[in-house]
Amino acid sequence: MIVLSSVSKWYPNGARPALIDVSAEIGAGEFVFLVGPSGSGKSTLLRLLLREERATGGRVIVAGRDVARIPDRRVPQLRRIVGCVFQDFRLLPNRTVAANVAFALDVVGRPRHVVRSVVPEVLELVGLGGKADRYPDELSGGEQQRVAIARAFVGRPRVLLADEPTGNLDPATSTEIMSLLDAVHRAGTTVIMATHNASLVDAMRRRVLELGDGALIRDEAGGRYDQTVPQPVAPSAPPPVVVPAQPTGTAPDGERSPWATPARSGPVG
Amino acid sequence: MGDAGAQRPGRLMRPGPLASLLWTGLRRNLAMTGAVIVTITICLAMLGAGLLLRAQVHTIDGFLLDQIEVVVDLSDAITPAERSALEAEMRRDPLIVGVRYETKKQVYERFRRDFRGSPDVVAGVGPEDLPAALRLTLADPRASRDIVVTYTGLDGVEAVRDQRALLDPLYRFLDAFTVGAFTLAAVQALASFALIYTMIRISAHARRRETAIMKLVGASNGTIRAPFVLESAVAGLAGGLLAAGVLVAAKIFLVDGQFARQTMFPLFGWAAVWESAVVVLAAGVLAAAVMASIALRRHLRV
């Protein structure tokens, strides 16, 4: 789904590159944590995937396309298969929850009957079925992030990028958002989540890409937030945090995710 | 791009959501939109006035060119032989298609008819005071100056009067007003552009969240720009309608109400008004949309 080969990014006037020679391959349907200290290049990498920036060296390939070579007028097409959520939610304050989600379909010209049927479904899936007519400032942070996820997911992107989606949320809410993203992933979406939340990464034990000063310094399947030092299970090691609280209506692990249940979905993306 | 190709990139928004974006934009920017509409109205009213003045020149031309004659006043001392020679020469002239002799009495009758509205003028003039004349119909009335030059000073010719020359001040007057109206329209067009430029800047700022999200979810560039261009085009349409109203009002109250009683010339008809109104409307909508597109290049990166 995503191939990075020797990707480098220099910003104009930058003293050092934001990314140096990053190579990685992310398959369709994978879930990947992107970790590393602030300024290590996580956001730059996500911006490259969205073609908000172009790599200065190497190639970024998304869904078989060399992103840097997509002509400007085709970039919207890329962004329809790459959804995105952010730390600050980025909802429109003057629109209701349902209107915020519908906006994403309206502006890509989806027919009205599609919008009318899909929006309530997606709101139900993110656990906001009863709050369709609320405005963002009437919602908690976690609920706002659910709206943002619904908006990113409603167009059925094949890749979902999450840039520190739990950065503004308390631990319990973060866990809820995490399981929502996990559900999106189980519905077949490739998810890349940049995060500083060590306990989530440690609990999920998914593939971890770690950036340091723009270089890829770790690519570990089932990794933790910090470099796993090969060691026997020591009594001092922190107990892994289990993701307990599923959002209301979410099936427990092992069962089919609510994201996959609607008969409509067909091939996702 | 894989199966996402089902959604074509060029697809625009449905009219409903687009109209709602447009409406919030216009409302949010009410004062600015109002200023733009007023400026565009003045600009287009001036443009329309210029077009109507030109129509008036054409109307007068069409009316007069058929009737314009060059009048050769004959001196009282001319002999019949001299007159016949002069007439013969005129009939050979390719620029002249008709020669008609009017006696002093006929000239006086015409004078009384032309000045029937001014009895004082008529009272002071007798049949003997006016010269007999040859009235020349020209192949091309615009060539009258050549005729004047050719026949002035010949034996028995007292004066050659070009009726069209009498109208020169009127033409100069109309031309000056036409140029003035177009100049004012151009100045107002510049002002409109400055205002639209500012309107787009404010609007782009006010909408920056919306446009950021539109970009994020893959709206096409055309979709992102459409509300801005439409906002401006709606202002252009409003200005065009107001300006068309001004033209209609001017026709009813000024032209038909005032001038019609004060002039002996025919005035432009409704056809000219509707023509100008259509031009003004089209110019308003198109120019405003184009101006907005230019301003968008500067203020909105997509």
Side-chain angles (χ1 to χ4, degrees):
Chain A
M1 179 57 65
I2 291 168
V3 181
L4 307 169
S5 48
S6 305
V7 174
S8 298
K9 174 66 184 175
W10 285 83
Y11 285 106
N13 310 324
R16 57 180 189 79
L19 289 173
I20 318 162
D21 199 27
V22 173
S23 295
E25 197 165 325
I26 297 170
E30 265 198 86
F31 190 110
V32 176
F33 283 115
L34 194 55
V35 303
S38 297
S40 61
K42 302 187 299 294
S43 293
T44 297
L45 186 57
L46 297 182
R47 291 170 66 80
L48 290 180
L49 294 175
L50 281 168
R51 237 298 277 282
E52 288 191 2
E53 300 284 348
R54 286 186 211 229
T56 36
R59 297 214 299 167
V60 178
I61 293 173
V62 175
R65 288 286 196 90
D66 185 338
V67 169
R69 292 189 179 194
I70 298 175
D72 283 350
R73 62 189 177 80
R74 293 274 183 177
V75 169
Q77 233 174 340
L78 169 73
R79 296 190 181 151
R80 288 176 204 181
I81 62 167
V82 183
C84 201
V85 295
F86 300 92
Q87 181 174 358
D88 56 357
F89 320 136
R90 303 194 186 175
L91 302 177
L92 296 173
N94 55 344
R95 289 174 183 260
T96 63
V97 166
N100 263 284
V101 178
F103 187 69
L105 295 175
D106 284 339
V107 300
V108 297
R110 303 299 293 275
R112 193 203 324 235
H113 68 269
V114 170
V115 179
R116 281 196 175 160
S117 68
V118 169
V119 170
E121 277 174 22
V122 170
L123 286 179
E124 200 63 47
L125 292 174
V126 299
L128 290 174
K131 302 197 168 172
D133 296 326
R134 301 288 190 86
Y135 284 87
D137 59 5
E138 301 169 341
L139 302 179
S140 70
E143 287 169 329
Q144 290 189 46
Q145 190 61 291
R146 284 164 190 265
V147 178
I149 292 172
R151 182 180 65 196
F153 187 71
V154 73
R156 294 302 170 121
R158 296 160 73 185
V159 181
L160 184 71
L161 308 180
D163 194 356
E164 303 198 25
T166 62
N168 279 348
L169 305 175
D170 62 63
T173 313
S174 297
T175 308
E176 286 173 20
I177 294 301
M178 183 67 244
S179 41
L180 192 51
L181 290 173
D182 188 42
V184 167
H185 165 240
R186 276 180 285 142
T189 314
T190 308
V191 177
I192 300 177
M193 174 170 163
T195 187
H196 285 146
N197 191 323
S199 60
L200 288 180
V201 177
D202 291 346
M204 299 293 290
R205 300 303 291 256
R206 297 291 172 81
R207 183 176 174 191
V208 173
L209 296 181
E210 182 174 353
L211 289 172
D213 285 338
L216 183 64
I217 55 177
R218 176 160 64 114
D219 180 355
E220 183 186 16
R224 292 168 167 273
Y225 186 79
D226 293 307
Q227 180 89 48
T228 312
V229 185
Q231 56 180 342
V233 181
S236 61
V241 182
V242 186
V243 179
Q246 298 280 348
T248 43
T250 311
D253 263 354
E255 291 187 29
R256 269 164 67 83
S257 146
W259 292 93
T261 38
R264 143 192 61 83
S265 48
V268 174
Chain B
M1 194 149 291
D3 37 1
Q7 298 171 30
R8 304 235 317 279
R11 203 146 72 175
L12 294 175
M13 289 177 81
R14 300 191 315 277
L18 184 58
S20 111
L21 275 183
L22 177 62
W23 177 238
T24 46
L26 287 171
R27 240 185 8 192
R28 183 162 42 199
N29 245 335
L30 204 56
M32 195 70 214
T33 311
V36 170
I37 290 175
V38 168
T39 321
I40 290 181
T41 302
I42 298 174
C43 169
L44 292 176
M46 285 298 137
L47 175 67
L51 291 173
L52 288 181
L53 282 165
R54 258 182 26 171
Q56 181 57 38
V57 170
H58 286 308
T59 308
I60 294 180
D61 267 348
F63 169 68
L64 289 179
L65 285 185
D66 291 341
Q67 303 189 13
I68 277 183
E69 293 170 320
V70 172
V71 180
V72 179
D73 290 335
L74 300 175
S75 69
D76 292 346
I78 193 170
T79 65
E82 278 172 340
R83 207 187 81 206
S84 318
L86 191 59
E87 274 187 61
E89 189 182 343
M90 286 170 171
R91 288 185 204 285
R92 283 196 300 273
D93 192 325
L95 292 177
I96 297 168
V97 294
V99 181
R100 202 154 33 84
Y101 175 66
E102 277 184 346
T103 62
K104 287 172 92 74
K105 187 167 165 31
Q106 284 167 326
V107 169
Y108 178 67
E109 290 304 319
R110 176 193 290 277
F111 170 77
R112 283 193 8 176
R113 198 164 63 244
D114 286 351
F115 287 88
R116 63 188 178 282
S118 315
D120 295 346
V121 177
V122 177
V125 179
E128 286 310 311
D129 297 332
L130 296 171
L134 289 169
R135 302 186 77 88
L136 311 182
T137 313
L138 305 188
D140 177 4
R142 279 165 291 218
S144 56
R145 274 173 232 287
D146 295 342
I147 302 292
V148 174
V149 170
T150 310
Y151 295 99
T152 302
L154 292 187
D155 284 347
V157 173
E158 195 169 277
V160 181
R161 287 185 288 124
D162 173 9
Q163 287 181 324
R164 197 160 185 271
L166 299 176
L167 296 173
D168 272 354
L170 174 68
Y171 279 110
R172 274 202 300 275
F173 176 82
L174 288 173
D175 282 348
F177 271 86
T178 309
V179 169
F182 282 143
T183 308
L184 260 178
V187 171
Q188 287 293 325
L190 281 178
S192 306
F193 181 62
L195 277 174
I196 287 177
Y197 194 80
T198 312
M199 177 175 86
I200 295 287
R201 191 166 57 110
I202 293 172
S203 191
H205 186 74
R207 282 187 203 280
R208 63 194 184 285
R209 283 164 180 267
E210 269 170 17
T211 45
I213 289 163
M214 285 166 103
K215 274 188 244 183
L216 197 66
V217 299
S220 66
N221 295 346
T223 301
I224 295 173
R225 290 193 163 121
F228 296 95
V229 175
L230 281 177
E231 201 173 310
S232 183
V234 164
L237 179 68
L241 286 172
L242 287 173
V246 168
L247 295 183
V248 169
K251 165 73 173 160
I252 292 173
F253 296 111
L254 275 183
V255 176
D256 292 351
Q258 300 278 331
F259 300 155
R261 286 199 293 273
Q262 297 171 0
T263 173
M264 53 201 238
F265 297 115
L267 297 164
F268 58 86
W270 280 103
V273 177
W274 300 135
E275 232 169 69
S276 304
V278 168
V279 170
V280 154
L281 269 176
V285 174
L286 288 178
V290 168
M291 285 172 177
S293 306
I294 294 171
L296 275 177
R297 288 162 176 266
R298 175 76 175 74
H299 294 307
L300 184 72
R301 297 228 180 105
V302 291

